[in-house]
Amino acid sequence: MRFNYRIVFIITALVFTLSATLTVINYLTSMETTREQLKNSALPLTIDNIYTEIQKNIIEPNLIASMMAHDTFLIDWLSDEEDEVQKIVHYLETIQNKYQMFTAFLVSDKSRNYYSAKGMLDKIDKKSPNSQWYLDFQKSSELSEINIDYNTNMGSELIMFINHKILDNDYHMIGATGVGLKTSYINDMLKAFRQRYQFSVYFVDVNGKVVIAEQNVKKLNNLSDIPDLARQLSDIIGKGSQVFEYTQAGEAFLLNRKYISELDLYLIVEAKVNNFTQAAEETFYLNVLLSAVITLLISFIIVLYVRKIHLKLDKLASNDDLTHLPNRRSFHNELAKQLLLKERYNSELSLLFIDIDNFKDVNDTKGHDVGDKVLKSLANILNNNVRKSDFVARWGGEEFIILLIDSDINQAQVIAEQLRSQVANSNHLSQYAQQQVTISLGATSVTDEDNIDTLLKRADLALYKAKSKGKNCIVSD
Ligand SMILES: Nc1nc2c(ncn2[C@@H]2O[C@H](COP(=O)(O)OP(=O)(O)OP(=O)(O)O)[C@@H](O)[C@H]2O)c(=O)[nH]1
C-alpha cells in the first residue's frame, strides 16, 4: 500500500485557501471600516473641533473691537479734530495690553491717519497695499469684517484683523477701529492636528487658493493644482461641511471642508487614507503568514497521523494476526521479488512447505486456545532457526512456508532437518500440547524454468509426499 501524498496536498491547499479567503475578507472589511470611520467620524469631528477653536479665538477679540467702535470716547475724539494724539495712543495701548492683543488700531476717515499703540503709524493711501483693506471695507455694506492679512508696518507675520466701522450719530462712517491677532495660534493648532492625528489642515479662499497653512510644511498653492480636486472645485467651494475623495500620485485622500463665515474662508481637513489603513495592511500580511504556518503545521500533523494509520493498516494487511508472521499475500510479493533477484544474480533460492502433523487432534482434544499457543510457539521456533535474510510466513491454518535465500537444495534439506528436530524435541510445544508436536516438510529448489505456480505446486507435492510417508519427515523435490 503506497502513501497518497496527493490527498495531503489537496487538504493543505483547501485549508490554506479557506484561511487565506477569511484573511482577505477580514482585511477588506477592516479597510472599509477604517475608511468609513475616517469619512464619517474622524474627519467631521476634527473639522468641528478646529472650527470651535477658531470661533473661541475670534469671539473675544470681536467683542473688544465692537466695544471700541461704540466707545463714545473714540467717537468724540474723532469728531473733535483728533486733538491730543497721546490720548488715543494711551487708549489703544491700554486695550492692547489689557486684552493681550498683538495690536489695537484706529483709522480716521477724515484725516486718513492710521493710529496704533505706537502713535500715528501710517496714512491711508489709495496706492499703498497696506491701505487696500480700508478702502474695501469702506465700500462694503458690512459693519464689521475679519481680515487675515499682512501689514508691512507690523513685520512679516500673518495677522488676523477684526475691523469695525465707527459711525457718527447720523450713521456715517467716520473711521474704523479694531484689534489684530497673531495667527501663530492657528499654526500651532494646524501642527498639532498634523502630528497628533496625521491630518493636513489648511484654509482656502473662494478661488481655492491656500490662504493659511502650517508654516515650514510643503503646501499646495491652490486646490485646482490637483486635477482630481480641480474637477470638484465648484462643489468644494460651497457652504456647510462635506467630505470629498481624490487621488494624487496613486495615493487616495479624503478631504473635508467647512465654510467659516466669520473669515469667509474654507477650512480644509484632509487625510491620506494609507496612513490609517497601514495597521490593517500589516495585520493582513501577518495573518497570511500565520495562515501559512498553521496550514503547514496542520498538514504536517495530518501527514504524521495518516502515515501512522497507513503503516498500521499496511501491517494488518500483510501480517498474520495470531503469529505476527507475514501472511500469504506478503509471501507472494516477497517470492516475486526474490525470483527477480535470483534471475539477476543467478543465485540459489529454496522453499520449505511446512505442516503440523495431526494438528486437528490438538484442537479437538485440548481446545483451540491450546492450538493457538502451539501455532505461535512454532512460529517462534521457525523464525529463530533460519537466517535473518530468510523469509518465514504463515501460509494459512497449520501450514507455514519459508523462503531460503542463497540456499540450494542440500542446504535447504539441512535447515529442514534442523527445524523438524527442533520442533520434535521442543519442551515448550510438548508442554502446551501435552503431547509431542511434529511437523512434515516439503523442500524444493527454484530452477530457471520456475514461476510462482510451478514452484508452489512442487513444494506442496513434496509436503504431501512427506505426509504420505508417515509424517515428521522431509521430502525434497
Ligand atoms: N487453533 C487453531 N487451529 C487452526 C487454525 N487454523 C487451522 N486450524 C486447525 O488446524 C486443523 C487442520 O486439520 P487438518 O487439515 O485435518 O490437518 P491435521 O489434523 O494436521 O492432519 P495432517 O495434516 O494430515 O497431519 C483444523 O482442526 C483447523 O481447525 C488456527 O488458527 N488456530
Side-chain angles (χ1 to χ4, degrees):
M1 225 185 283
R2 299 185 70 203
F3 186 65
N4 197 344
Y5 282 97
R6 238 178 66 180
I7 287 178
V8 179
F9 179 75
I10 290 169
I11 293 174
T12 307
L14 279 176
V15 171
F16 185 72
T17 310
L18 189 72
S19 67
T21 309
L22 288 177
T23 307
V24 169
I25 291 173
N26 194 21
Y27 167 69
L28 293 177
T29 312
S30 67
M31 290 283 274
E32 194 48 39
T33 309
T34 309
R35 212 183 155 84
E36 286 302 307
Q37 201 257 344
L38 199 60
K39 201 169 159 179
N40 300 326
S41 161
L43 279 175
L45 264 179
T46 309
I47 214 156
D48 285 345
N49 279 350
I50 299 175
Y51 181 66
T52 311
E53 188 85 3
I54 288 171
Q55 273 202 323
K56 205 174 74 198
N57 281 283
I58 289 172
I59 287 169
E60 194 195 37
N62 196 36
L63 281 174
I64 296 165
S66 165
M67 180 200 79
M68 289 163 77
H70 291 95
D71 197 327
T72 47
F73 166 70
L74 272 194
I75 300 169
D76 291 348
W77 189 78
L78 285 177
S79 311
D80 290 348
E81 311 299 329
E82 300 165 38
D83 267 352
E84 297 177 72
V85 171
Q86 73 276 8
K87 271 188 185 174
I88 208 67
V89 167
H90 178 68
Y91 176 86
L92 294 173
E93 197 177 27
T94 309
I95 297 276
Q96 185 178 314
N97 295 338
K98 188 173 175 191
Y99 300 109
Q100 295 185 326
M101 297 291 134
F102 177 66
T103 184
F105 64 90
L106 171 71
V107 177
S108 163
D109 203 55
K110 200 196 288 174
S111 67
R112 311 304 257 183
N113 288 345
Y114 186 109
Y115 300 99
S116 80
K118 288 180 188 146
M120 203 197 96
L121 205 66
D122 203 4
K123 270 247 177 228
I124 297 298
D125 176 3
K126 273 185 190 164
K127 289 172 195 144
S128 163
N130 281 344
S131 302
Q132 208 50 52
W133 71 272
Y134 183 79
L135 303 172
D136 291 344
F137 190 34
Q138 245 186 341
K139 281 182 225 152
S140 130
S141 59
E142 302 293 329
L143 284 174
S144 68
E145 64 166 20
I146 295 173
N147 251 342
I148 293 186
D149 217 342
Y150 294 98
N151 187 319
T152 50
N153 294 318
M154 296 179 188
S156 59
E157 209 175 321
L158 198 61
I159 300 165
M160 183 163 76
F161 290 99
I162 300 172
N163 308 324
H164 277 250
K165 285 180 182 168
I166 305 172
L167 307 175
D168 64 9
N169 291 336
D170 298 325
Y171 295 101
H172 291 130
M173 184 175 172
I174 55 168
T177 188
V179 289
L181 297 151
K182 278 195 179 181
T183 55
S184 53
Y185 84 94
I186 297 182
N187 199 61
D188 292 344
M189 199 167 64
L190 304 187
K191 193 170 167 189
F193 278 106
R194 179 176 57 80
Q195 289 179 338
R196 219 180 307 149
Y197 305 112
Q198 294 180 297
F199 289 135
S200 284
V201 185
Y202 51 93
F203 296 81
V204 299
D205 66 12
V206 69
N207 300 313
K209 182 172 176 265
V210 179
V211 180
I212 309 173
E214 194 190 334
Q215 281 163 5
N216 305 325
V217 171
K218 196 172 165 266
K219 67 169 198 318
L220 199 66
N221 289 323
N222 196 304
L223 289 183
S224 55
D225 292 348
I226 297 170
D228 240 10
L229 287 180
R231 269 193 294 276
Q232 305 183 71
L233 195 61
S234 57
D235 292 330
I236 295 173
I237 303 303
K239 302 283 185 257
S241 170
Q242 197 182 334
V243 177
F244 297 86
E245 296 186 36
Y246 75 93
T247 49
Q248 192 196 10
E251 291 275 12
F253 290 85
L254 287 172
L255 179 149
N256 197 5
R257 72 105 164 82
K258 191 180 180 91
Y259 177 66
I260 303 186
S261 55
E262 293 90 337
L263 300 176
D264 191 25
L265 291 177
Y266 296 86
L267 170 62
I268 307 282
V269 175
E270 63 173 32
K272 194 195 248 186
V273 176
N274 196 32
N275 286 343
F276 297 83
T277 52
Q278 216 165 354
E281 245 169 63
E282 279 164 18
T283 312
F284 168 70
Y285 290 124
L286 193 74
N287 280 347
V288 170
L289 190 75
L290 271 177
S291 301
V293 171
I294 289 171
T295 307
L296 281 178
L297 208 70
I298 291 174
S299 311
F300 184 66
I301 292 169
I302 291 174
V303 170
L304 281 187
Y305 186 68
V306 174
R307 264 180 79 103
K308 202 173 151 192
I309 291 177
H310 205 264
L311 285 174
K312 219 173 189 172
L313 286 175
D314 213 18
K315 208 168 167 197
L316 277 177
S318 53
N319 279 59
D320 166 48
D321 235 10
L322 181 70
T323 61
H324 302 302
L325 285 178
N327 60 17
R328 188 190 291 210
R329 204 175 125 239
S330 298
F331 182 82
H332 261 277
N333 291 340
E334 182 66 19
L335 179 58
K337 192 173 98 188
Q338 291 302 336
L339 284 175
L340 289 174
L341 286 172
K342 177 192 153 37
E343 197 181 315
R344 181 175 166 89
Y345 296 111
N346 201 21
S347 54
E348 298 291 342
L349 187 65
S350 294
L351 202 70
L352 296 181
F353 224 140
I354 301 162
D355 187 287
I356 306 175
D357 297 328
N358 309 317
F359 188 58
K360 191 171 181 308
D361 288 350
V362 177
N363 269 331
D364 290 351
T365 55
K366 313 290 170 352
H368 262 74
D369 284 357
V370 171
D372 283 352
K373 280 182 184 165
V374 169
L375 287 169
K376 280 202 253 183
S377 186
L378 176 67
N380 281 337
I381 293 172
L382 298 180
N383 239 346
N384 295 337
N385 285 281
V386 292
R387 292 184 202 137
K388 287 246 177 311
S389 53
D390 295 336
F391 195 86
V392 182
R394 186 177 177 193
W395 188 252
E398 85 298 15
E399 288 178 322
F400 295 83
I401 195 160
I402 304 176
L403 199 56
L404 299 167
I405 315 294
D406 267 341
S407 303
D408 59 17
I409 192 64
N410 297 324
Q411 288 163 310
Q413 276 171 343
V414 172
I415 293 165
E417 178 48 32
Q418 272 172 12
L419 292 175
R420 188 206 60 77
S421 127
Q422 282 279 340
V423 172
N425 299 313
S426 166
N427 288 333
H428 261 129
L429 282 176
S430 54
Q431 266 169 17
Y432 285 144
Q434 294 161 34
Q435 66 183 62
Q436 192 197 24
V437 177
T438 60
I439 53 174
S440 297
L441 300 97
T444 190
S445 208
V446 183
T447 64
D448 292 340
E449 290 74 37
D450 270 334
N451 58 36
I452 292 180
D453 286 343
T454 57
L455 187 63
L456 288 173
K457 217 173 249 172
R458 206 163 58 245
D460 192 34
L461 195 66
L463 174 63
Y464 175 76
K465 283 182 186 165
K467 288 276 179 191
S468 310
K469 251 177 84 180
K471 305 178 183 174
N472 192 19
C473 63
I474 301 148
V475 169
S476 15
D477 196 353

mmCIF file with all atom_site columns, all heavy atoms in Angstrom, residues 76-89:
data_model
loop_
_atom_site.group_PDB
_atom_site.id
_atom_site.type_symbol
_atom_site.label_atom_id
_atom_site.label_alt_id
_atom_site.label_comp_id
_atom_site.label_asym_id
_atom_site.label_entity_id
_atom_site.label_seq_id
_atom_site.pdbx_PDB_ins_code
_atom_site.Cartn_x
_atom_site.Cartn_y
_atom_site.Cartn_z
_atom_site.occupancy
_atom_site.B_iso_or_equiv
_atom_site.pdbx_formal_charge
_atom_site.auth_seq_id
_atom_site.auth_comp_id
_atom_site.auth_asym_id
_atom_site.auth_atom_id
_atom_site.pdbx_PDB_model_num
ATOM 1   N N   . ASP A 1 76 ? -16.132 110.715 20.002 1.00 0.00 ? 76 ASP A N   1
ATOM 2   C CA  . ASP A 1 76 ? -15.941 112.146 20.313 1.00 0.00 ? 76 ASP A CA  1
ATOM 3   C C   . ASP A 1 76 ? -14.564 112.619 19.860 1.00 0.00 ? 76 ASP A C   1
ATOM 4   O O   . ASP A 1 76 ? -14.401 113.711 19.320 1.00 0.00 ? 76 ASP A O   1
ATOM 5   C CB  . ASP A 1 76 ? -16.099 112.407 21.823 1.00 0.00 ? 76 ASP A CB  1
ATOM 6   C CG  . ASP A 1 76 ? -17.554 112.203 22.242 1.00 0.00 ? 76 ASP A CG  1
ATOM 7   O OD1 . ASP A 1 76 ? -18.426 112.104 21.338 1.00 0.00 ? 76 ASP A OD1 1
ATOM 8   O OD2 . ASP A 1 76 ? -17.800 112.103 23.462 1.00 0.00 ? 76 ASP A OD2 1
ATOM 9   N N   . TRP A 1 77 ? -13.564 111.797 20.111 1.00 0.00 ? 77 TRP A N   1
ATOM 10  C CA  . TRP A 1 77 ? -12.188 112.195 19.765 1.00 0.00 ? 77 TRP A CA  1
ATOM 11  C C   . TRP A 1 77 ? -12.040 112.423 18.265 1.00 0.00 ? 77 TRP A C   1
ATOM 12  O O   . TRP A 1 77 ? -11.434 113.399 17.824 1.00 0.00 ? 77 TRP A O   1
ATOM 13  C CB  . TRP A 1 77 ? -11.196 111.123 20.249 1.00 0.00 ? 77 TRP A CB  1
ATOM 14  C CG  . TRP A 1 77 ? -9.763  111.548 20.117 1.00 0.00 ? 77 TRP A CG  1
ATOM 15  C CD1 . TRP A 1 77 ? -9.070  112.374 20.927 1.00 0.00 ? 77 TRP A CD1 1
ATOM 16  C CD2 . TRP A 1 77 ? -8.878  111.188 19.038 1.00 0.00 ? 77 TRP A CD2 1
ATOM 17  N NE1 . TRP A 1 77 ? -7.803  112.553 20.495 1.00 0.00 ? 77 TRP A NE1 1
ATOM 18  C CE2 . TRP A 1 77 ? -7.648  111.822 19.306 1.00 0.00 ? 77 TRP A CE2 1
ATOM 19  C CE3 . TRP A 1 77 ? -9.002  110.406 17.888 1.00 0.00 ? 77 TRP A CE3 1
ATOM 20  C CZ2 . TRP A 1 77 ? -6.527  111.703 18.484 1.00 0.00 ? 77 TRP A CZ2 1
ATOM 21  C CZ3 . TRP A 1 77 ? -7.878  110.273 17.088 1.00 0.00 ? 77 TRP A CZ3 1
ATOM 22  C CH2 . TRP A 1 77 ? -6.663  110.923 17.362 1.00 0.00 ? 77 TRP A CH2 1
ATOM 23  N N   . LEU A 1 78 ? -12.661 111.554 17.506 1.00 0.00 ? 78 LEU A N   1
ATOM 24  C CA  . LEU A 1 78 ? -12.599 111.705 16.046 1.00 0.00 ? 78 LEU A CA  1
ATOM 25  C C   . LEU A 1 78 ? -13.361 112.964 15.604 1.00 0.00 ? 78 LEU A C   1
ATOM 26  O O   . LEU A 1 78 ? -12.927 113.669 14.702 1.00 0.00 ? 78 LEU A O   1
ATOM 27  C CB  . LEU A 1 78 ? -13.183 110.460 15.346 1.00 0.00 ? 78 LEU A CB  1
ATOM 28  C CG  . LEU A 1 78 ? -12.316 109.208 15.330 1.00 0.00 ? 78 LEU A CG  1
ATOM 29  C CD1 . LEU A 1 78 ? -13.074 108.061 14.662 1.00 0.00 ? 78 LEU A CD1 1
ATOM 30  C CD2 . LEU A 1 78 ? -11.015 109.437 14.568 1.00 0.00 ? 78 LEU A CD2 1
ATOM 31  N N   . SER A 1 79 ? -14.485 113.199 16.261 1.00 0.00 ? 79 SER A N   1
ATOM 32  C CA  . SER A 1 79 ? -15.292 114.370 15.912 1.00 0.00 ? 79 SER A CA  1
ATOM 33  C C   . SER A 1 79 ? -14.588 115.660 16.332 1.00 0.00 ? 79 SER A C   1
ATOM 34  O O   . SER A 1 79 ? -14.778 116.701 15.694 1.00 0.00 ? 79 SER A O   1
ATOM 35  C CB  . SER A 1 79 ? -16.667 114.317 16.591 1.00 0.00 ? 79 SER A CB  1
ATOM 36  O OG  . SER A 1 79 ? -17.227 113.057 16.361 1.00 0.00 ? 79 SER A OG  1
ATOM 37  N N   . ASP A 1 80 ? -13.752 115.643 17.405 1.00 0.00 ? 80 ASP A N   1
ATOM 38  C CA  . ASP A 1 80 ? -13.058 116.818 17.926 1.00 0.00 ? 80 ASP A CA  1
ATOM 39  C C   . ASP A 1 80 ? -11.711 117.037 17.251 1.00 0.00 ? 80 ASP A C   1
ATOM 40  O O   . ASP A 1 80 ? -10.690 117.279 17.909 1.00 0.00 ? 80 ASP A O   1
ATOM 41  C CB  . ASP A 1 80 ? -12.851 116.695 19.450 1.00 0.00 ? 80 ASP A CB  1
ATOM 42  C CG  . ASP A 1 80 ? -14.161 116.810 20.192 1.00 0.00 ? 80 ASP A CG  1
ATOM 43  O OD1 . ASP A 1 80 ? -15.156 117.205 19.557 1.00 0.00 ? 80 ASP A OD1 1
ATOM 44  O OD2 . ASP A 1 80 ? -14.183 116.452 21.386 1.00 0.00 ? 80 ASP A OD2 1
ATOM 45  N N   . GLU A 1 81 ? -11.627 116.843 16.007 1.00 0.00 ? 81 GLU A N   1
ATOM 46  C CA  . GLU A 1 81 ? -10.433 117.157 15.199 1.00 0.00 ? 81 GLU A CA  1
ATOM 47  C C   . GLU A 1 81 ? -9.185  116.391 15.608 1.00 0.00 ? 81 GLU A C   1
ATOM 48  O O   . GLU A 1 81 ? -8.058  116.812 15.399 1.00 0.00 ? 81 GLU A O   1
ATOM 49  C CB  . GLU A 1 81 ? -10.111 118.673 15.243 1.00 0.00 ? 81 GLU A CB  1
ATOM 50  C CG  . GLU A 1 81 ? -11.258 119.587 14.967 1.00 0.00 ? 81 GLU A CG  1
ATOM 51  C CD  . GLU A 1 81 ? -11.840 119.356 13.558 1.00 0.00 ? 81 GLU A CD  1
ATOM 52  O OE1 . GLU A 1 81 ? -11.077 118.986 12.650 1.00 0.00 ? 81 GLU A OE1 1
ATOM 53  O OE2 . GLU A 1 81 ? -13.070 119.510 13.385 1.00 0.00 ? 81 GLU A OE2 1
ATOM 54  N N   . GLU A 1 82 ? -9.356  115.290 16.264 1.00 0.00 ? 82 GLU A N   1
ATOM 55  C CA  . GLU A 1 82 ? -8.247  114.395 16.620 1.00 0.00 ? 82 GLU A CA  1
ATOM 56  C C   . GLU A 1 82 ? -7.163  115.111 17.447 1.00 0.00 ? 82 GLU A C   1
ATOM 57  O O   . GLU A 1 82 ? -5.960  115.003 17.161 1.00 0.00 ? 82 GLU A O   1
ATOM 58  C CB  . GLU A 1 82 ? -7.636  113.742 15.363 1.00 0.00 ? 82 GLU A CB  1
ATOM 59  C CG  . GLU A 1 82 ? -8.662  112.915 14.620 1.00 0.00 ? 82 GLU A CG  1
ATOM 60  C CD  . GLU A 1 82 ? -8.255  112.531 13.216 1.00 0.00 ? 82 GLU A CD  1
ATOM 61  O OE1 . GLU A 1 82 ? -7.074  112.239 13.018 1.00 0.00 ? 82 GLU A OE1 1
ATOM 62  O OE2 . GLU A 1 82 ? -9.133  112.539 12.330 1.00 0.00 ? 82 GLU A OE2 1
ATOM 63  N N   . ASP A 1 83 ? -7.646  115.840 18.465 1.00 0.00 ? 83 ASP A N   1
ATOM 64  C CA  . ASP A 1 83 ? -6.725  116.562 19.346 1.00 0.00 ? 83 ASP A CA  1
ATOM 65  C C   . ASP A 1 83 ? -5.989  115.605 20.274 1.00 0.00 ? 83 ASP A C   1
ATOM 66  O O   . ASP A 1 83 ? -6.504  114.562 20.622 1.00 0.00 ? 83 ASP A O   1
ATOM 67  C CB  . ASP A 1 83 ? -7.516  117.550 20.237 1.00 0.00 ? 83 ASP A CB  1
ATOM 68  C CG  . ASP A 1 83 ? -7.558  118.920 19.570 1.00 0.00 ? 83 ASP A CG  1
ATOM 69  O OD1 . ASP A 1 83 ? -6.860  119.066 18.553 1.00 0.00 ? 83 ASP A OD1 1
ATOM 70  O OD2 . ASP A 1 83 ? -8.309  119.776 20.075 1.00 0.00 ? 83 ASP A OD2 1
ATOM 71  N N   . GLU A 1 84 ? -4.809  116.013 20.694 1.00 0.00 ? 84 GLU A N   1
ATOM 72  C CA  . GLU A 1 84 ? -4.014  115.267 21.684 1.00 0.00 ? 84 GLU A CA  1
ATOM 73  C C   . GLU A 1 84 ? -3.927  113.765 21.333 1.00 0.00 ? 84 GLU A C   1
ATOM 74  O O   . GLU A 1 84 ? -4.626  112.935 21.896 1.00 0.00 ? 84 GLU A O   1
ATOM 75  C CB  . GLU A 1 84 ? -4.584  115.445 23.094 1.00 0.00 ? 84 GLU A CB  1
ATOM 76  C CG  . GLU A 1 84 ? -4.531  116.902 23.567 1.00 0.00 ? 84 GLU A CG  1
ATOM 77  C CD  . GLU A 1 84 ? -5.177  117.039 24.932 1.00 0.00 ? 84 GLU A CD  1
ATOM 78  O OE1 . GLU A 1 84 ? -4.546  116.572 25.899 1.00 0.00 ? 84 GLU A OE1 1
ATOM 79  O OE2 . GLU A 1 84 ? -6.304  117.549 25.015 1.00 0.00 ? 84 GLU A OE2 1
ATOM 80  N N   . VAL A 1 85 ? -3.039  113.523 20.375 1.00 0.00 ? 85 VAL A N   1
ATOM 81  C CA  . VAL A 1 85 ? -2.853  112.151 19.859 1.00 0.00 ? 85 VAL A CA  1
ATOM 82  C C   . VAL A 1 85 ? -2.485  111.172 20.984 1.00 0.00 ? 85 VAL A C   1
ATOM 83  O O   . VAL A 1 85 ? -2.892  110.006 20.990 1.00 0.00 ? 85 VAL A O   1
ATOM 84  C CB  . VAL A 1 85 ? -1.766  112.145 18.755 1.00 0.00 ? 85 VAL A CB  1
ATOM 85  C CG1 . VAL A 1 85 ? -1.404  110.725 18.352 1.00 0.00 ? 85 VAL A CG1 1
ATOM 86  C CG2 . VAL A 1 85 ? -2.276  112.895 17.536 1.00 0.00 ? 85 VAL A CG2 1
ATOM 87  N N   . GLN A 1 86 ? -1.735  111.689 22.017 1.00 0.00 ? 86 GLN A N   1
ATOM 88  C CA  . GLN A 1 86 ? -1.290  110.780 23.092 1.00 0.00 ? 86 GLN A CA  1
ATOM 89  C C   . GLN A 1 86 ? -2.467  110.143 23.830 1.00 0.00 ? 86 GLN A C   1
ATOM 90  O O   . GLN A 1 86 ? -2.372  109.036 24.353 1.00 0.00 ? 86 GLN A O   1
ATOM 91  C CB  . GLN A 1 86 ? -0.303  111.456 24.072 1.00 0.00 ? 86 GLN A CB  1
ATOM 92  C CG  . GLN A 1 86 ? -0.882  112.469 25.025 1.00 0.00 ? 86 GLN A CG  1
ATOM 93  C CD  . GLN A 1 86 ? -0.988  113.845 24.348 1.00 0.00 ? 86 GLN A CD  1
ATOM 94  O OE1 . GLN A 1 86 ? -0.765  114.013 23.132 1.00 0.00 ? 86 GLN A OE1 1
ATOM 95  N NE2 . GLN A 1 86 ? -1.333  114.872 25.104 1.00 0.00 ? 86 GLN A NE2 1
ATOM 96  N N   . LYS A 1 87 ? -3.610  110.857 23.807 1.00 0.00 ? 87 LYS A N   1
ATOM 97  C CA  . LYS A 1 87 ? -4.799  110.308 24.483 1.00 0.00 ? 87 LYS A CA  1
ATOM 98  C C   . LYS A 1 87 ? -5.247  108.999 23.788 1.00 0.00 ? 87 LYS A C   1
ATOM 99  O O   . LYS A 1 87 ? -5.529  108.006 24.438 1.00 0.00 ? 87 LYS A O   1
ATOM 100 C CB  . LYS A 1 87 ? -5.947  111.323 24.409 1.00 0.00 ? 87 LYS A CB  1
ATOM 101 C CG  . LYS A 1 87 ? -5.979  112.305 25.534 1.00 0.00 ? 87 LYS A CG  1
ATOM 102 C CD  . LYS A 1 87 ? -7.283  113.074 25.381 1.00 0.00 ? 87 LYS A CD  1
ATOM 103 C CE  . LYS A 1 87 ? -7.381  114.189 26.396 1.00 0.00 ? 87 LYS A CE  1
ATOM 104 N NZ  . LYS A 1 87 ? -8.572  115.023 26.143 1.00 0.00 ? 87 LYS A NZ  1
ATOM 105 N N   . ILE A 1 88 ? -5.280  109.085 22.456 1.00 0.00 ? 88 ILE A N   1
ATOM 106 C CA  . ILE A 1 88 ? -5.736  107.913 21.698 1.00 0.00 ? 88 ILE A CA  1
ATOM 107 C C   . ILE A 1 88 ? -4.662  106.812 21.728 1.00 0.00 ? 88 ILE A C   1
ATOM 108 O O   . ILE A 1 88 ? -4.980  105.632 21.772 1.00 0.00 ? 88 ILE A O   1
ATOM 109 C CB  . ILE A 1 88 ? -6.168  108.312 20.259 1.00 0.00 ? 88 ILE A CB  1
ATOM 110 C CG1 . ILE A 1 88 ? -7.241  107.317 19.753 1.00 0.00 ? 88 ILE A CG1 1
ATOM 111 C CG2 . ILE A 1 88 ? -5.040  108.318 19.259 1.00 0.00 ? 88 ILE A CG2 1
ATOM 112 C CD1 . ILE A 1 88 ? -8.512  107.444 20.513 1.00 0.00 ? 88 ILE A CD1 1
ATOM 113 N N   . VAL A 1 89 ? -3.396  107.237 21.739 1.00 0.00 ? 89 VAL A N   1
ATOM 114 C CA  . VAL A 1 89 ? -2.308  106.248 21.818 1.00 0.00 ? 89 VAL A CA  1
ATOM 115 C C   . VAL A 1 89 ? -2.409  105.499 23.151 1.00 0.00 ? 89 VAL A C   1
ATOM 116 O O   . VAL A 1 89 ? -2.310  104.272 23.208 1.00 0.00 ? 89 VAL A O   1
ATOM 117 C CB  . VAL A 1 89 ? -0.928  106.950 21.670 1.00 0.00 ? 89 VAL A CB  1
ATOM 118 C CG1 . VAL A 1 89 ? 0.202   106.013 22.050 1.00 0.00 ? 89 VAL A CG1 1
ATOM 119 C CG2 . VAL A 1 89 ? -0.750  107.443 20.241 1.00 0.00 ? 89 VAL A CG2 1
#
